[in-house]
């Protein structure tokens, strides 16, 4: 509050100074006899320019996303308590209305059913979210044993789906929407196993490529892995443990992965990958990693992938899509900065309406991190 008052005071002083200088210039012009007004002195132009630049700078410093007067008057008590001993992500403070709404609950009571609000905050960079002292809602019955087959039909009534828009609030409802969403296990059972085009890299072929390079894929991370089908296939085909990062975004991806016996990390793309350095044999980037991510953010993402991969580990870009011109001029050079060996590099036209309209292509690439990286430039 003190910072804002200081800015307002400086803006007021700057505006007063501007008016005084303008009146001085006007009075000197009126008093002059010649019909042609004299040129404005250089020092006066410089002063006016300096004041104008100061006003612009101070205006830019003013907070743009201010809460309403009612929200700003008092932050939720548990938010104030939490901030005494735990840090809050800076982007949380940039969205005070959403943050106050999220933290405005009754302690030691059931938590509000506000998963969409939580995801909205996370996607705005407010991550990790502040902890809350309330009881999360869970299904009223005990879950069945974990399935021996992760491709058996998703058991109903094992997750709370009330806040999703699908009419019947069931997994089968989502299975009937779009096959690519990943909820129809009859379709998912054959994914990542067959070769149809050059864009496909079946898991058996991936495993064979690793064996031929005298390496193994034991641990992996699937970024944006939806319902976890890639992780499920890697477990069945290679007994590998793959953790999936996912956001729900209107569908119960995290819940579906959990009932299949898979670990789903509720983590956004902009977060630092939540695993330690040099511990992963494989990182897969699925459909979530594409041209909609700002280039600089994508560069940080790829170098974070390099951080978690061990020497000799693999980065799999699975159907990354972009404009053809951008792939040649932007993304291929960006990927090249990693210095990885190209085991596979396949490009094909993106044949849907958006791809045809925007001249987009798919890229599937398998890249191997050097075992020893040269430090010479």
């Amino acid at each position: 509050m003190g910072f804002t008052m200081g800015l307002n005071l400086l803006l007021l002083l700057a505006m007063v100074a501007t008016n005084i200088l303008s009146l001085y210039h006007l009075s000197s012009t009126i008093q002059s006899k010649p019909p042609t007004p004299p040129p404005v002195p250089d020092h006066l132009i410089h002063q006016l320019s300096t004041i104008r630049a100061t006003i612009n700078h101070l205006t830019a410093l003013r907070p743009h996303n201010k809460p309403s007067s009612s929200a700003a008057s008092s932050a939720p008590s548990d938010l104030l308590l939490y901030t005494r001993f735990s840090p809050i992500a800076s982007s949380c403070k940039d969205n005070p209305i959403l943050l106050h709404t999220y933290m405005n609950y009754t302690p030691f009571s059931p938590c509000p059913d506000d998963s969409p609000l939580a995801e909205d905050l996370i996607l705005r960079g407010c991550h990790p979210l502040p902890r809350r002292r309330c009881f999360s809602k869970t299904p009223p019955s005990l879950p069945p044993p974990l399935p021996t087959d992760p491709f058996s039909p998703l058991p109903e009534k094992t997750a709370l789906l009330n806040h999703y828009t699908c009419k019947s609030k069931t997994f089968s409802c989502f299975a009937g929407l779009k096959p690519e969403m990943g909820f129809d296990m009859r379709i998912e059972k054959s994914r990542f196993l067959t070769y149809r085009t050059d864009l496909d890299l079946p898991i058996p072929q991936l495993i064979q490529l690793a064996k031929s390079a005298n390496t193994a894929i034991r641990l992996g991370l699937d970024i944006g892995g939806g319902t976890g089908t890639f992780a499920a296939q890697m477990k069945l085909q290679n007994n590998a443990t793959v953790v999936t990062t996912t956001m729900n975004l209107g569908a119960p991806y995290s819940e579906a992965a959990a009932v299949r016996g898979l670990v789903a990390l509720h983590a956004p793309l902009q977060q630092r990958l939540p695993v330690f350095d040099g511990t992963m044999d494989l990182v897969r980037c699925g459909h979530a990693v594409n041209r909609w991510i700002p280039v600089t953010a994508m560069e940080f993402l790829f170098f974070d992938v390099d951080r978690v991969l061990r020497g000799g580990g693999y980065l799999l870009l699975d159907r990354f899509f972009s404009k053809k011109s951008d792939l040649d001029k932007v993304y291929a050079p960006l990927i090249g900065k990693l210095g990885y060996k190209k085991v596979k590099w396949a490009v094909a036209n993106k044949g849907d309406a958006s791809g045809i309209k925007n001249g987009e292509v798919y890229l599937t690439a398998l890249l191997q991190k050097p075992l020893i990286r040269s430090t010479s430039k």
Side-chain angles (χ1 to χ4, degrees):
M1 182 175 180
F3 178 69
T4 304
M5 290 180 63
L7 285 178
N8 290 334
L9 181 59
L10 285 174
L11 284 169
L12 179 62
L13 291 175
M15 292 174 66
V16 170
T18 303
N19 290 334
I20 292 174
L21 288 171
S22 299
L23 287 173
Y24 164 75
H25 173 58
L26 181 61
S27 62
S28 63
T29 303
I30 293 175
Q31 293 173 3
S32 59
K33 300 291 184 178
T36 303
V40 181
D42 291 339
H43 72 278
L44 185 58
I45 293 177
H46 178 71
Q47 290 174 359
L48 287 171
S49 299
T50 302
I51 292 173
R52 185 178 296 110
T54 302
I55 291 175
N56 291 336
H57 178 67
L58 293 175
T59 303
L61 287 177
R62 300 184 71 178
H64 295 289
N65 187 8
K66 296 190 296 184
S68 62
S69 57
S70 59
S73 58
S74 60
S77 58
D78 255 35
L79 177 60
L80 296 175
L81 177 62
Y82 184 82
T83 54
R84 291 180 187 175
F85 57 87
S86 295
I88 297 290
S90 60
S91 293
C92 296
K93 299 174 184 177
D94 294 338
N95 298 276
I97 296 177
L98 292 178
L99 179 63
H100 288 190
T101 303
Y102 178 75
M103 293 299 291
N104 189 17
Y105 67 96
T106 303
F108 315 116
S109 298
C111 296
D113 186 12
D114 56 0
S115 294
L117 171 62
E119 286 215 330
D120 197 0
L121 275 167
I122 291 172
L123 291 172
R124 292 168 184 259
C126 181
H127 192 268
L129 288 172
R131 287 174 171 166
R132 300 193 295 190
R133 298 181 297 168
C134 58
F135 300 106
S136 62
K137 296 180 180 178
T138 57
S141 57
L142 293 174
L146 289 177
T148 55
D149 179 9
F151 295 98
S152 57
L154 298 177
E156 304 293 0
K157 299 181 180 180
T158 54
L160 297 177
L161 309 180
N162 294 333
H163 50 269
Y164 296 109
T165 57
C166 213
K167 269 190 176 181
S168 63
K169 312 298 182 184
T170 60
F171 287 124
S172 58
C173 178
F174 288 96
L177 292 179
K178 294 180 180 179
E180 61 269 22
M181 291 182 70
F183 291 92
D184 190 339
M185 295 299 109
R186 295 170 300 178
I187 296 175
E188 296 302 291
K189 193 165 188 174
S190 61
R191 285 189 66 199
F192 304 111
L193 297 182
T194 56
Y195 182 94
R196 295 185 179 89
T197 72
D198 286 344
L199 293 173
D200 294 316
L201 180 58
I203 287 178
Q205 183 182 358
L206 172 64
I207 296 169
Q208 187 58 44
L209 287 170
K211 286 182 178 178
S212 64
N214 295 319
T215 186
I217 298 177
R218 309 154 302 159
L219 298 173
L221 184 66
D222 188 12
I223 300 176
T227 60
T229 294
F230 182 80
Q233 295 287 25
M234 287 295 292
K235 188 67 175 178
L236 290 178
Q237 301 295 322
N238 195 48
N239 197 29
T241 299
V242 175
V243 176
T244 301
T245 73
T246 186
M247 295 289 291
N248 281 6
L249 302 176
Y253 295 108
S254 298
E255 294 94 327
V259 299
R260 299 175 73 184
L262 306 169
V263 178
L265 298 177
H266 195 222
L269 289 173
Q270 66 266 36
Q271 179 199 341
R272 188 175 189 260
L273 297 174
V275 292
F276 195 66
D277 303 5
T279 54
M280 296 291 106
D281 303 311
L282 171 71
V283 175
R284 173 183 174 267
C285 295
H287 227 102
V289 180
N290 57 62
R291 74 180 183 93
W292 298 115
I293 301 176
V295 174
T296 303
M298 189 176 298
E299 188 171 60
F300 275 101
L301 171 62
F302 285 159
F303 276 87
D304 199 27
V305 169
D306 179 79
R307 175 184 65 81
V308 304
L309 276 177
R310 62 165 174 81
Y314 292 97
L315 166 60
L316 172 58
L317 297 176
D318 194 353
R319 282 177 167 77
F320 172 90
F321 71 87
S322 70
K323 293 183 178 181
K324 176 66 168 66
S325 57
D326 289 341
L327 178 61
D328 297 334
K329 297 178 182 178
V330 179
Y331 298 113
L334 189 157
I335 295 168
K337 291 180 180 179
L338 295 172
Y340 286 12
K341 175 185 177 182
K342 290 182 180 179
V343 181
K344 178 183 178 73
W345 186 277
V347 179
N349 291 330
K350 188 169 178 279
D352 59 9
S354 173
I356 295 172
K357 178 182 177 181
N358 298 306
E360 294 173 331
V361 295
Y362 280 123
L363 165 68
T364 292
L366 181 65
L367 310 164
Q368 186 176 25
K369 179 176 178 176
L371 189 60
I372 301 175
R373 190 180 296 278
S374 173
T375 57
S376 61
K377 294 184 179 180

